[in-house]
Amino acid sequence: MKILIFGLGALGTVFAVSLKNAGHTVYAFVKEKYLDQLTNKPLQITGLFGHKQAYIDRYFTNPEDLNLVELDLIVLTVKAFDTEKALSQIKNFIKPNTLLLIAQNGYGNYEKAIQIFPKNQVILSRIIFGAKVISPGMAEVTVFGDDVVIGQPEKAIPKETLEKIAQIFTQAGIPTRVSEDVYAILWEKIIYNSALNPLGALLERTYGELAENYETRFIMDQIIDEIFTVLKTYNIQLRWKSSEEYKEHFYQRLIPPTAGHYPSMYYDLKNGKKTEIDALNGAIVNLAEQKGLETPVNKFITLLVKLREKVT
């Protein structure tokens, strides 16, 4: 396949190196300020997916330069706050037969994409392995919670097409499966991230440390309860009937494999970068307000992170 990785942060680097090592043609779209640090040397990944390196076929910084390139798949891996800009750039060169995979955290990325592109071109994914940038062009896979899950929420893409992409990713060393319930599965990750990421970032604690302490566990419980209230109002169905059922799964099954993990938001704040809080707890607050609901704990956490962004 001919694949464009749009954004070479930690996740994009993992996809680029893995897919190129598997024999695919891989291009990368990057910000111009990073180009000198990336060209003429291999990208590298290390950690749980093994040590691999690969030379990317070509880097792009200008959307117009991609007009003459035939692509089978675009993997969008930019941070959620860059989604609108990225989609507007992709609109300049995407072809009718090119698929766009949304490989991002939080709520709103898929929703923005299907406002611009036909649903039969847009694939949603839930990614629950974690990676961090060691240096430009090098990333470490630090945690693996489950397979990547891909799907088309409105069933607008044939299952056979999705299965082919899942097989390509799996053969490249990124375990992937297809699910018709991908939207609900993504929401489960949004809950997971909203409960853990801001507190882990603000308090500089691992997921396991957050779960071990009464004070942080109490706050996480409130975050989860508020999200379930919002989802019920929007009639978004999950695999759990109540927040209590989810919390049992959260503490017993989800946190233990990732107990030593620090959230990406922790590294964002530490490095003075903008976070994805608006696509997590901030999105919950906005959805709640649209229905006349209040989510005070999620709002408090959102405001704290935004304050830290200003003073870091």
Side-chain angles (χ1 to χ4, degrees):
M1 292 186 81
K2 293 183 178 179
I3 302 167
L4 173 70
I5 309 300
F6 200 101
L8 268 189
L11 191 64
T13 301
V14 173
F15 272 101
V17 172
S18 300
L19 290 165
K20 181 59 185 175
N21 262 270
H24 300 281
T25 300
V26 177
Y27 308 110
F29 190 93
V30 299
K31 293 178 180 178
E32 191 165 359
K33 63 180 180 180
Y34 296 123
L35 194 58
D36 289 341
Q37 302 175 66
L38 296 170
T39 51
N40 299 320
K41 67 176 184 178
L43 296 182
Q44 299 181 67
I45 64 170
T46 187
L48 297 181
F49 287 180
H51 182 77
K52 302 175 185 177
Q53 66 177 30
Y55 284 91
I56 298 306
D57 290 280
R58 184 177 172 184
Y59 291 100
F60 293 88
T61 59
N62 187 342
E64 283 70 29
D65 292 340
L66 280 151
N67 280 322
L68 299 178
V69 179
E70 294 293 330
L71 298 169
D72 299 304
L73 178 67
I74 301 168
V75 182
L76 181 60
T77 61
V78 300
K79 294 284 190 177
F81 50 76
D82 279 334
T83 295
E84 289 185 20
K85 180 181 179 181
L87 292 174
S88 68
Q89 291 174 313
I90 290 169
K91 186 179 179 181
N92 290 323
F93 60 81
I94 192 171
K95 307 295 192 301
N97 60 341
T98 303
L99 295 173
L100 172 64
L101 176 70
I102 307 298
Q104 298 167 279
N105 273 334
Y107 171 80
N109 303 299
Y110 172 76
E111 288 75 11
K112 290 172 184 174
I114 60 175
Q115 291 178 0
I116 299 174
F117 307 110
K119 292 177 182 177
N120 64 3
Q121 285 186 263
V122 183
I123 303 170
L124 180 62
S125 71
R126 188 287 314 262
I127 296 172
I128 205 164
F129 68 82
K132 64 179 181 180
V133 173
I134 304 300
S135 61
M138 183 173 185
E140 178 185 2
V141 180
T142 56
V143 65
F144 178 78
D146 191 11
D147 294 351
V148 172
V149 177
I150 65 172
Q152 214 303 313
E154 282 75 40
K155 300 179 177 61
I157 296 175
K159 188 175 182 180
E160 295 76 17
T161 301
L162 298 171
E163 293 284 4
K164 179 182 177 182
I165 293 172
Q167 183 180 27
I168 286 170
F169 285 0
T170 300
Q171 290 175 344
I174 304 173
T176 304
R177 68 178 188 271
V178 175
S179 175
E180 293 182 353
D181 298 323
V182 64
Y183 194 72
I185 293 171
L186 176 66
W187 261 107
E188 291 164 12
K189 187 192 175 187
I190 293 172
I191 300 170
Y192 172 87
N193 283 343
S194 296
L196 292 164
N197 288 16
L199 282 175
L202 291 167
L203 301 175
E204 300 185 353
R205 294 292 183 268
T206 65
Y207 291 170
E209 289 172 324
L210 295 176
E212 288 170 359
N213 289 282
Y214 167 79
E215 293 82 1
T216 47
R217 192 169 176 132
F218 180 87
I219 296 170
M220 291 193 293
D221 285 349
Q222 300 304 306
I223 289 171
I224 293 169
D225 288 342
E226 289 181 359
I227 296 175
F228 264 78
T229 298
V230 173
L231 294 184
K232 184 177 180 180
T233 304
Y234 280 87
N235 198 32
I236 296 174
Q237 303 294 322
L238 302 181
R239 290 180 290 175
W240 292 271
K241 295 180 181 179
S242 68
S243 61
E244 294 304 317
E245 286 186 12
Y246 175 81
K247 282 185 279 188
E248 182 178 353
H249 179 74
F250 176 74
Y251 289 113
Q252 294 184 11
R253 299 290 298 277
L254 296 182
I255 290 182
T258 59
H261 184 66
Y262 287 91
S264 59
M265 194 176 290
Y266 161 78
Y267 297 105
D268 289 337
L269 289 181
K270 193 173 182 180
N271 295 319
K273 295 182 178 180
K274 188 175 180 179
T275 74
E276 295 183 300
I277 192 67
D278 284 330
L280 296 171
N281 307 75
I284 301 303
V285 174
N286 288 334
L287 289 169
E289 290 177 348
Q290 290 174 32
K291 294 289 187 178
L293 300 174
E294 292 187 357
T295 50
V297 180
N298 278 278
K299 188 167 186 175
F300 179 66
I301 290 293
T302 301
L303 293 174
L304 279 181
V305 172
K306 287 181 172 292
L307 178 62
R308 276 292 304 277
E309 287 179 341
K310 291 179 181 179
V311 300
T312 300

